[in-house]
Amino acid sequence: MTVLRIDSSIQGPASASSELADIAEAEWTAVRPGTAFVRRHLAASPLPSEAWATAVLAGFVPEEQWTDEQRTARALATRLASELRDAEAAILALPLYNWGVSQHVKTWMDLAMAGGEQGEPLLKDKPVIVLTTRGGGYSAGTPREGWDHNTAFLRRIVEDVWGADLTLIERELTLAAVTPAMQPFLEAAELMKKAAHEAATHAGRTLASR
């Protein structure tokens, strides 16, 4: 079995989203020890931001007229689409940045869609775990309720466009322990961390057992 794992946090080993993905992966491999993982870290090895436009515009001219840059961009887009299409499942660690989807994730999504057929459900009916984290609080009743423009977008692309059988796991207040102004929220942050870890454990084990 092949599982695609995508990480996108800029925080390296301190990443809360990658920590959740590690938990899900560990449970997955405990059930399916022979699983092969295809990995991309979109923050550690960013995709070229200009490649999407180059790949898309190449589609308007005959292939024999493509420039070297267009051939390179099209090959990258095709490879990213194939990684999604060929995977039997996926674990995607995609945190919120600046109230939305990070530039690294958006570039990856745009290129993958450029590399497939128009509207192709690249993850159709495949089990996919999306793990998304937020440094602050965005739930109902908080000052920043409605400021999370990341989670709904991830659901729209992964579930509605790519057709995945989606399990979405969220964790908030990840910066409470290192932000003095958030000290009153430490207990709530710990409860959210515990719940997210339990959800990642359950998802990894359950989806691998299908």
Side-chain angles (χ1 to χ4, degrees):
M1 185 174 199
T2 301
V3 174
L4 176 64
R5 172 161 170 179
I6 301 291
D7 289 88
S8 58
S9 172
I10 63 174
Q11 297 192 38
S15 167
S17 61
S18 291
E19 180 181 40
L20 289 172
D22 287 342
I23 292 169
E25 179 179 332
E27 293 298 323
W28 189 290
T29 53
V31 175
R32 292 178 177 258
T35 299
F37 282 83
V38 174
R39 304 177 189 276
R40 278 192 180 272
H41 200 303
L42 303 175
S45 299
L47 298 165
S49 59
E50 73 281 359
W52 172 72
T54 304
V56 169
L57 292 175
F60 292 94
V61 297
E63 184 173 349
E64 61 270 16
Q65 296 179 20
W66 286 355
T67 65
D68 289 342
E69 290 78 11
Q70 287 173 323
R71 292 185 188 282
T72 299
R74 290 295 299 184
L76 176 59
T78 299
R79 184 161 68 251
L80 295 174
S82 294
E83 288 176 355
L84 289 160
R85 191 185 296 118
D86 295 344
E88 296 168 82
I91 297 174
L92 312 178
L94 311 174
L96 173 146
Y97 285 117
N98 293 327
W99 307 291
V101 179
S102 79
Q103 62 170 330
H104 306 111
V105 172
K106 187 63 164 60
T107 297
W108 168 64
M109 288 178 166
D110 286 343
L111 276 166
M113 286 188 279
E117 298 296 326
Q118 181 69 32
E120 180 181 356
L122 294 166
L123 290 168
K124 185 171 177 57
D125 298 330
K126 299 173 184 180
V128 176
I129 304 171
V130 169
L131 308 126
T132 191
T133 53
R134 301 179 284 274
Y138 297 83
S139 58
T142 64
R144 288 188 173 170
E145 178 185 355
W147 283 48
D148 173 11
H149 301 288
N150 170 64
T151 307
F153 181 83
L154 295 178
R155 184 183 290 279
R156 191 70 61 231
I157 298 299
V158 176
E159 184 173 39
D160 296 341
V161 177
W162 288 347
D165 180 4
L166 175 64
T167 298
L168 177 67
I169 297 172
E170 306 174 60
R171 179 186 162 197
E172 287 196 343
L173 302 176
T174 62
L175 296 179
V178 296
T179 305
M182 296 178 68
Q183 294 304 297
F185 307 109
L186 277 174
E187 183 177 354
E190 282 301 313
L191 290 174
M192 289 180 179
K193 178 180 179 179
K194 182 175 184 292
H197 282 211
E198 290 174 350
T201 298
H202 178 74
R205 183 184 308 132
T206 302
L207 297 184
S209 300
R210 289 186 180 179

